[in-house]
């Protein structure tokens, strides 16, 4: 199922759904697909101080990209040989074992692309580095950000598990923030559409005057 919307409270709603669905009979491997709190390092550049030293925020980003990812990202170079005719990628990068702490990262030299600019400065002279968390992956359905709660079934049929999940969702729906809604997708959505089409085909071919089939809306459509 998907929690669709931009409200920051959606992460807590998704985690609450995971806890409730995990306790439902027949639900297995219930999890939140996205990682909402992925550890990262935030570099906050003092633009005024960098300008006084003749550097820009782009210079800081470029120097850190070269140091951490290598020159293959910004200035690819190749060594070509005649015999045999082949080429090799030449990359300059800071060894990973040398960047094993925040002080080591803060010692990254920051240089301007123009050699006439002032001499390189250390990152610690221009910016502060702090540990923080951020979403590891941001998923979208159409243009709306979504959080995916995935679940499987164990020793139970799909219909009974989906019915239990829909009851849990109906309990949460009144508390959803404005602009947020929940949609059940995946195999549950395919099952409903298949059964509805099957029921429609049976009714159209039936010669009886009445034809009934369990309505999906009666089980709580959450579109």
């Amino acid at each position: 199922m998907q929690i669709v919307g931009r409200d920051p409270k959606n992460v807590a709603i998704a985690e609450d759904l995971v806890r409730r669905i995990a306790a439902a009979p027949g639900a297995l491997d219930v999890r939140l697909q996205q990682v909402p709190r992925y550890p990262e390092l935030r570099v906050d550049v003092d633009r005024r101080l960098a300008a006084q030293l003749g550097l820009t925020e782009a210079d800081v980003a470029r120097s850190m990209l070269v140091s951490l990812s290598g020159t293959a990202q910004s200035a690819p170079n190749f060594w070509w040989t005649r015999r045999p005719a082949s080429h090799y990628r030449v990359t300059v990068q800071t060894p990973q074992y040398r960047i094993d702490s925040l002080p080591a990262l803060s010692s990254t030299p920051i240089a301007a692309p123009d050699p006439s600019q002032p001499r390189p400065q250390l990152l610690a002279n221009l910016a502060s580095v702090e540990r923080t968390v951020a979403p590891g992956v941001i998923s979208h359905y159409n243009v709306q950000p979504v959080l995916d709660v995935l679940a499987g079934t164990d020793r139970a049929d799909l219909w009974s598990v989906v019915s239990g999940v829909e009851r849990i969702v109906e309990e949460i729906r009144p508390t959803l923030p404005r602009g947020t809604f929940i949609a059940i997708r995946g195999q549950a959505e395919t099952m409903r559409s298949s059964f509805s089409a099957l029921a429609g085909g049976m009714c159209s071919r039936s010669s009886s005057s009445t034809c009934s089939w369990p309505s999906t809306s009666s089980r709580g459509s959450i579109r």
Side-chain angles (χ1 to χ4, degrees), residues 117-169:
Q117 293 295 327
R119 63 181 182 177
Q121 297 286 332
L122 297 181
L123 178 64
N125 298 337
L126 306 173
S128 60
V129 183
E130 61 177 354
R131 299 181 185 273
T132 182
V133 294
V137 176
I138 300 178
S139 303
H140 290 80
Y141 187 83
N142 293 331
V143 296
Q144 291 286 342
V146 299
L147 293 171
D148 299 302
V149 177
L150 307 182
T153 60
D154 179 40
R155 301 179 184 180
D157 61 278
L158 180 60
W159 183 270
S160 61
V161 175
V162 171
S163 299
V165 170
E166 288 180 341
R167 286 192 293 269
I168 295 174
V169 172

Side-chain angles (χ1 to χ4, degrees), residues 108-120:
T108 301
I110 306 300
D114 187 357
S116 63
Q117 293 295 327
R119 63 181 182 177

Side-chain angles (χ1 to χ4, degrees), residues 187-200 213:
Q187 293 184 1
E189 185 179 22
T190 304
M191 177 192 63
R192 276 198 298 264
S193 61
S194 299
F195 283 179
S196 298
L198 177 62
W213 191 263

Side-chain angles (χ1 to χ4, degrees), residues 1 165-166 169-170 173 181-184 192 220-223:
M1 85 190 68
V165 170
E166 288 180 341
V169 172
E170 288 297 330
R173 287 183 67 185
F181 64 94
I182 303 176
I184 293 183
R192 276 198 298 264
S221 176
I222 50 177
R223 283 284 182 177

Side-chain angles (χ1 to χ4, degrees), residues 78-120:
F78 300 91
W79 176 268
W80 183 77
T81 60
R82 291 174 179 262
R83 297 179 181 178
S86 181
H87 65 274
Y88 302 90
R89 186 185 296 272
V90 180
T91 302
V92 179
Q93 180 181 356
T94 304
Q96 294 185 1
Y97 62 84
R98 292 186 178 273
I99 310 177
D100 56 358
S101 63
L102 287 182
L105 179 64
S106 299
S107 299
T108 301
I110 306 300
D114 187 357
S116 63
Q117 293 295 327
R119 63 181 182 177

